[in-house]
Amino acid sequence: MIDMQETMLELDAARTACARAADWLGSHVGSDGEPADAAERNGWSRLGWGLAVAGRPDAAAAVVSWIARNRIAADGGFQPGRLRGQDYIAVYPHYWLGTFVVSAWLAGRLDVAMRSMAYLRTRQDTQTGGIPMVSEADGEPVCDMLSTAQVGLGALVTGDRETAEKCALWVRALAEQSAGESLVFHSCRKGADLWIDPDPAFVWSAVADFSRPRQAYYTPGMGAVFLARFAARYGCAQSIAAARRLLAFNLNGSSAQFDDLASVQACKFGWAVAEMALADPEGDWHPWVQRMTRWFLDRQSQEGAWGPSAFAMAAPSLADRLVKTSEHLMELSVCMAALGAVGAGR
């Protein structure tokens, strides 16, 4: 039985948290739309997305327009050198450009969104449908969950069904390959096979042991978010089943995902359960939406910002906090949508 009073209280608390986060983000946007710290770092790819869903369309449009003028090349990709300073961004340029596609679309800059989406379409693996990282293993591109699912989201937003379907095939295949009793999740594929022995520099993001604390718990959630939206858009039961398989890693994993205040690695799980509550109402996702709403609230600073996991980055830069605040604001807004749907008697 759903406690409607508790649901409404959580919705109100989330609404307040999102408003505080939007205020904080807005205070770090210049009068010309330039994001703070943009001269040195990339904290801006998802900034327009966060501002748009928080009801700040003018700020979102200003940010996206500044980025389009100053950071996006004529072909729709990032200008060379614009991902320097943050290794975890430079390794996944297509993931971050995919977040910018959504930012531009939600900010009303459809021309910019379509140009960058056209660029990303040329990067899709023609055999598997995956989207590659920078890294190559033995000369063969390695495609990863973050990049493929996020570019798939960009394709859904811009109406590129062909690209979205290819991304969905890749994500569903990885979900099937990863299904089993093990709680070790592999988020990359080299060709058609799981990349189970990644280069040491990529072990953190490519392999997560969900039985252990402080892992990269976010990768199954990214895939589940995309598949939930794909299913909602195109009525694909296969995608719901695959999303459930992906989220089983989180559901059966260590409680440290949710209890460790020094970690924000489960944020995309929170986003995913909210998307699933909307797309898969038979899945009993509401208790998890409630729990993850509180998870976001517990990690927000007094000033309204969020930051990276404290165990991994004790002194985050302003750009790092812009990245996480934009992301968590967007994710919490989906939790609000899921809570609101229950409140409206869906």
Side-chain angles (χ1 to χ4, degrees):
M1 179 70 68
I2 295 175
D3 186 326
M4 294 307 302
Q5 183 176 7
E6 182 181 1
T7 296
M8 292 301 99
L9 288 173
E10 288 165 348
L11 183 56
D12 286 343
R15 188 178 295 114
T16 298
C18 285
R20 291 172 56 226
D23 286 343
W24 186 85
L25 288 175
S27 71
H28 291 90
V29 176
S31 59
D32 62 348
E34 181 177 358
D37 223 12
E40 296 299 328
R41 308 289 290 276
N42 177 357
W44 37 259
S45 297
R46 199 190 276 108
L47 180 54
W49 187 347
L51 289 167
V53 298
R56 310 294 172 93
D58 52 341
V63 164
V64 167
S65 294
W66 186 91
I67 295 168
R69 292 192 306 270
N70 296 282
R71 295 293 184 267
I72 302 298
D75 64 359
F78 289 124
Q79 292 177 355
R82 292 306 184 183
L83 298 182
R84 67 182 184 275
Q86 289 164 299
D87 291 342
Y88 66 91
I89 287 180
V91 170
Y92 304 100
H94 306 131
Y95 168 74
W96 292 103
L97 189 61
T99 69
F100 177 68
V101 166
V102 179
S103 290
W105 188 272
L106 293 179
R109 290 300 309 271
L110 310 190
D111 57 327
V112 175
M114 295 299 285
R115 181 156 52 100
S116 289
M117 192 63 228
Y119 172 88
L120 288 169
R121 192 181 307 119
T122 67
R123 296 315 191 251
Q124 188 167 40
D125 187 282
T126 57
Q127 299 300 314
T128 67
I131 304 295
M133 304 187 295
V134 166
S135 173
E136 293 187 355
D138 303 323
E140 187 173 4
V142 175
C143 297
D144 72 290
M145 178 69 86
L146 285 181
S147 302
T148 304
Q150 179 57 56
V151 171
L153 279 181
L156 286 177
V157 167
T158 58
D160 184 350
R161 181 167 183 169
E162 181 179 357
T163 299
E165 286 182 336
K166 291 176 180 177
C167 289
L169 284 171
W170 189 95
V171 175
R172 289 198 300 263
L174 187 145
E176 186 65 34
Q177 289 169 314
S178 295
E181 296 187 8
S182 171
L183 285 175
V184 176
F185 182 75
H186 300 276
S187 62
C188 302
R189 297 170 77 203
K190 186 172 70 170
D193 300 320
L194 290 178
W195 197 31
I196 59 174
D197 294 311
D199 299 339
F202 297 96
V203 169
W204 162 257
S205 58
V207 183
D209 185 345
F210 278 75
S211 69
R212 299 176 56 198
R214 299 187 171 180
Q215 300 287 296
Y217 301 125
Y218 49 82
T219 43
M222 186 71 244
V225 164
F226 166 58
L227 291 178
R229 289 199 179 185
F230 184 87
R233 180 74 175 270
Y234 297 119
C236 179
Q238 261 186 307
S239 292
I240 291 295
R244 289 178 175 180
R245 284 197 294 275
L246 289 171
L247 293 180
F249 284 90
N250 297 93
L251 295 173
N252 296 321
S254 169
S255 62
Q257 297 172 83
F258 316 115
D259 301 335
D260 183 356
L261 288 173
S263 174
V264 296
Q265 301 301 316
C267 65
K268 287 182 172 62
F269 173 74
W271 182 15
V273 294
E275 295 283 4
M276 290 293 279
L278 296 167
D280 179 30
E282 303 303 316
D284 192 28
W285 298 102
H286 182 75
W288 279 106
V289 176
Q290 289 182 303
R291 183 171 182 177
M292 292 307 295
T293 297
R294 293 190 293 270
W295 185 95
F296 285 110
L297 300 179
D298 288 344
R299 286 159 177 77
Q300 189 178 33
S301 71
Q302 288 296 317
E303 61 184 345
W306 283 280
S309 293
F311 75 85
M313 190 177 296
S317 70
L318 177 56
D320 293 317
R321 291 192 294 152
L322 286 168
V323 168
K324 295 308 291 183
T325 303
S326 301
E327 179 181 20
H328 289 357
L329 170 55
M330 172 273 294
E331 292 163 337
L332 184 55
S333 74
V334 184
C335 291
M336 288 172 57
L339 292 173
V342 169
R346 175 176 176 175

